[in-house]
Amino acid sequence: MSLAVLAGGIMIAFGALAAGIGNGVLFSRYLEGIARQPEAQGTLFGQSMIALGLVEALPVISIAFGILVLFGII
């Protein structure tokens, strides 16, 4: 097994793991904020959707580079 295949697999795995952890932390804090101040639900929802986009951007980039490394394009 070449190191490129191993590196690509590790990048894909950590990208998926980071997305799961980031989403879990984000929405646990979102629900905690709603539990503390129910009247701020609209504001918190908009902010959490923006944060979701930021949290998802890095794992998607990591998975893309992992696939490129895995198939030997880079």
Side-chain angles (χ1 to χ4, degrees):
M1 179 185 332
S2 70
L3 285 177
V5 173
L6 183 63
I10 289 173
M11 288 174 78
I12 292 170
F14 283 147
L17 181 68
I21 292 172
N23 288 337
V25 170
L26 172 68
F27 285 107
S28 71
R29 300 296 184 206
Y30 169 65
L31 291 174
E32 182 179 325
I34 289 176
R36 289 181 183 215
Q37 288 185 327
E39 66 275 1
Q41 181 179 4
T43 304
L44 291 175
F45 182 75
Q47 291 175 351
S48 68
M49 289 298 116
I50 292 171
L52 176 67
L54 295 174
V55 165
E56 287 292 325
L58 186 60
V60 167
I61 293 170
S62 173
I63 289 170
F65 276 115
I67 289 172
L68 291 175
V69 168
L70 188 64
F71 290 116
I73 297 171
I74 293 180

